[in-house]
Amino acid sequence: MKDRRTERDTHRLRLRMFGATPARAVIGLEAEFNLFINGRRRRPEKVFGDPSRLVRRRMIPRTGKSFQLPAGGAIYFDTGVIEVTTPIVELEPGCCYRATRLLWEQIRYLRRELDHWERQHGCKCRLQGFSAHYNLSFPSSRKSKLRNATKLAYLLAHVLPVPVILLATNRQSSAVGVRPRGNRIEVTVDFTPDPALMLATCAFIAGAMETVLRWEDFGLRRFERHALPRIARFHLQKHSSRRGWRVTPDSLGRNPFTSDINESLWKLRDGRRLSLRAIAAETLRPFRQRIRQIGDSSTLEHIAAVFAGDARSLLDFEKRPDAYDDVGHSIDWGRRRMRRWPQSKYEKVIHRVIAHEPMRIGQKRYVVDRMNGWYQVEFREVGTKRRRTFNLDDLARLADAKKRSHLKAKVKGGSASPKTMSKIRRRRRTVSTTR
C-alpha cells in the first residue's frame, strides 16, 4: 500500500499535470501496473531507478519525476507501480476512442522496452494490471454555487458504480471510486485488459458526465427527475487515499463483484428487485444521446449489449481472466469493428514536440526544453537560450497558420494540386459563410 507522504506527492504531481488546462473540456486516461521479474514482484524504483534507465530513446523531462514517452504519453514510477498516462485529448466526437488507443499505445511501447531489457538481462518481466483512472476536466465556465467539482463527484458516485462494475471489474475487484480533483473529476477502477471494454467504460463515464453537466444542479433529487434507479441500501465509503468516495461491498450490503449479475438480488427504493444488468440498462437511458455523440453508435451498442447480457462482462467469468497478469504482449480489440478516428489537434502537436522539431516564430528559432504539465511546453530560443512557454492551443494555431501560408505559396507559384485547390475552395466557402 502507498504511504500518506507518497500519496500527497503523487497528488501534487497529478494536480500539476492537469493544473494548466485549456478552457475547453479534455479527457485523459492513466493505468498502473505491478512489475514482476522471474515471477517475483519488484519495485520499479529499485530495479531501474527512474524511467530514463528503462526507455532507450531520450525522453523529454516533465514536471516532477515523470518523462514524456516517445509514444506521446508519460511514464513515472509511483511507489511500487509503473504508471503510464495519455496526453490530454479534446472532448469531442472520437475522444474516447483516441484516449483508449493512446493508453494502449503507451502500454505497447512500455512492453517493448521491457522485452529489450529482459533479453539483455536474461530474465522474464511481466506487467500485472493494477488500476485505471478516467480523468475528465470540469471547465470553470460550468461552475456555480450549485455546480462544483465536489457536488458533481458526489452525484456521479451514486450514478456510475453499477454500470462501471459491469463494464470494467472482475471477480476479485473491491471498489469503484470517484474523486473531485479541483479542475477535473477522476473515476478509479481496476485496470481492464480488454481494450473494447475499456473503450466502453470510457464512453459511458464521459457520456454520463457530459449529460449531468447540463443539469441545473447536482442534487440527488435528479435521480427521480431522470428516472434513474437507486439501490435501497447504498452508503458511500470515504476514498482510501484522498478526497472522494468509493462504492465497496460494504456500501451495498452484498458483494456485487461475486454475486450473480443476472439474478434479481438488488432492492430499489421504488420497491422493485432487479439484477445488476437490469439496473445498468436503466441507468444507461438518459445518457445514450451524449454517449453516441462523443463516441459512436458501435460503442453505444456494445455498452447496451453488455448490460443486456448479449456481450460478455468480465464478471461473466468465474475467476479473474489471466490477461490481467501479463498485459501488453498481445493487444486484442476483439471482433467488434472500431471506427478509426484520426489524431486530434493536441495529439498532432504532442508528436511534433516529441520529435524535437524546431519551431520558428518570426526570425527566432526555438527547441523543446521540457513539458510543463499536459497543456504547456517550455521552449528554449536557439542562440540566446531564453525560455518561452507555449500551450497546446498556441502551438496548434501556429501550425495552422504555417499550413495556410504554405497552401497560399503553392497557389501563387502555380503548383497547387487539384486536391489542394479543393481544400482552399472549401476553406474560402467556410469563411464567407461565417461572415
Side-chain angles (χ1 to χ4, degrees):
M1 294 297 291
K2 303 175 186 178
D3 57 54
R4 290 183 179 275
R5 181 177 62 80
T6 306
E7 285 290 348
R8 287 196 299 270
D9 293 342
T10 304
H11 174 58
R12 294 191 187 103
L13 172 62
R14 285 172 177 163
L15 283 179
R16 288 196 294 269
M17 184 179 84
F18 271 75
T21 55
R24 65 185 303 178
V26 295
I27 185 173
L29 304 188
E30 306 168 84
E32 294 181 334
F33 301 95
N34 293 319
L35 173 67
F36 283 80
I37 299 179
N38 291 333
R40 179 186 168 196
R41 184 177 171 183
R42 301 288 302 276
R43 294 169 66 91
E45 303 95 322
K46 296 289 186 181
V47 178
F48 307 111
D50 66 61
S52 66
R53 300 177 68 179
L54 168 62
V55 178
R56 287 167 287 173
R57 285 179 57 185
R58 183 169 69 90
M59 295 186 290
I60 299 172
R62 295 173 47 82
T63 307
K65 296 181 180 180
S66 62
F67 292 85
Q68 196 78 25
L69 275 171
I75 181 173
Y76 57 97
F77 299 156
D78 186 8
T79 320
V81 298
I82 301 177
E83 180 153 359
V84 293
T85 69
T86 71
I88 55 175
V89 176
E90 305 94 308
L91 196 68
E92 60 187 14
C95 64
C96 296
Y97 176 85
R98 290 185 181 117
T100 306
R101 171 180 54 77
L102 277 165
L103 185 61
W104 282 94
E105 286 176 357
Q106 314 317 306
I107 295 169
R108 179 170 54 192
Y109 194 93
L110 170 61
R111 182 62 256 178
R112 288 175 178 172
E113 296 304 294
L114 284 172
D115 289 342
H116 179 265
W117 189 89
E118 69 180 11
R119 284 194 298 268
Q120 280 192 325
H121 293 79
C123 59
K124 291 294 183 182
C125 300
R126 60 184 175 89
L127 295 171
Q128 182 188 66
F130 181 66
S131 69
H133 304 169
Y134 300 81
N135 296 277
L136 291 98
S137 67
F138 184 19
S140 56
S141 60
R142 296 184 178 183
K143 295 179 182 178
S144 67
K145 278 188 176 181
L146 299 176
R147 297 157 47 85
N148 57 48
T150 301
K151 292 179 182 294
L152 175 59
Y154 186 74
L155 176 59
L156 290 175
H158 288 78
V159 174
L160 295 177
V162 172
V164 170
I165 285 172
L166 265 294
L167 294 171
T169 68
N170 61 81
R171 292 295 179 183
Q172 294 181 22
S173 297
S174 59
V176 172
V178 182
R179 302 190 290 211
R181 307 297 298 277
N183 59 356
R184 62 188 169 104
I185 300 295
E186 182 179 54
V187 179
T188 60
V189 68
D190 275 356
F191 175 79
T192 308
D194 184 308
L197 280 174
M198 182 180 286
L199 171 60
T201 305
C202 182
F204 184 90
I205 293 171
M209 180 168 164
E210 280 295 291
T211 302
V212 170
L213 279 173
R214 286 161 172 75
W215 293 353
E216 294 179 3
D217 62 74
F218 300 146
L220 294 182
R221 61 180 176 273
R222 290 286 161 182
F223 270 79
E224 295 181 4
R225 295 187 183 182
H226 295 279
L228 288 167
R230 291 185 69 182
I231 296 176
R233 182 175 178 179
F234 190 93
H235 303 289
L236 291 177
Q237 310 289 321
K238 287 185 178 181
H239 208 283
S240 58
S241 57
R242 289 183 287 274
R243 291 178 58 203
W245 300 271
R246 294 190 308 162
V247 172
T248 68
D250 291 336
S251 303
L252 302 170
R254 186 193 299 269
N255 192 331
F257 307 105
T258 58
S259 301
D260 187 342
I261 58 177
N262 300 304
E263 190 175 347
S264 300
L265 301 172
W266 307 92
K267 185 177 180 180
L268 305 187
R269 291 201 171 193
D270 60 11
R272 293 180 297 160
R273 282 189 175 275
L274 297 179
S275 67
L276 282 180
R277 273 197 153 111
I279 294 172
E282 287 194 11
T283 305
L284 175 63
R285 290 173 188 166
F287 309 129
R288 294 180 67 94
Q289 182 178 358
R290 289 300 295 166
I291 292 171
R292 184 185 288 108
Q293 288 174 349
I294 63 177
D296 54 28
S297 58
S298 176
T299 304
L300 177 60
E301 289 170 5
H302 187 197
I303 295 170
V306 172
F307 294 167
D310 297 326
R312 281 281 184 97
S313 163
L314 295 179
L315 293 175
D316 284 315
F317 297 93
E318 293 183 1
K319 62 178 184 177
R320 189 176 77 166
D322 294 338
Y324 280 92
D325 296 316
D326 192 7
V327 178
H329 270 126
S330 61
I331 300 174
D332 182 13
W333 283 90
R335 295 181 179 180
R336 296 180 178 277
R337 296 180 62 185
M338 302 291 175
R339 177 174 176 180
R340 189 71 185 179
W341 293 92
Q343 292 181 338
S344 70
K345 287 187 177 181
Y346 285 175
E347 190 178 351
K348 291 177 182 177
V349 167
I350 288 291
H351 280 288
R352 283 197 294 271
V353 167
I354 292 171
H356 298 275
E357 292 183 8
M359 179 177 64
R360 182 180 292 276
I361 301 178
Q363 300 301 314
K364 297 180 180 180
R365 293 177 70 247
Y366 296 88
V367 293
V368 178
D369 189 59
R370 65 184 286 119
M371 291 290 297
N372 182 12
W374 276 117
Y375 187 50
Q376 295 178 321
V377 187
E378 291 184 10
F379 287 83
R380 189 175 65 253
E381 185 183 339
V382 176
T384 65
K385 306 298 183 183
R386 291 178 180 174
R387 294 177 184 272
R388 186 171 177 182
T389 300
F390 296 90
N391 62 46
L392 297 186
D393 284 310
D394 293 334
L395 297 174
R397 282 192 292 269
L398 288 168
D400 287 342
K402 184 177 179 181
K403 188 175 181 180
R404 285 196 296 270
S405 64
H406 180 66
L407 288 174
K408 288 180 180 178
K410 273 192 171 184
V411 174
K412 288 181 180 178
S415 59
S417 65
K419 187 176 181 180
T420 301
M421 289 300 301
S422 177
K423 287 182 180 179
I424 294 172
R425 292 190 195 99
R426 284 200 299 270
R427 186 174 291 112
R428 286 173 178 170
R429 285 197 295 270
T430 302
V431 171
S432 63
T433 303
T434 54
R435 287 177 182 173

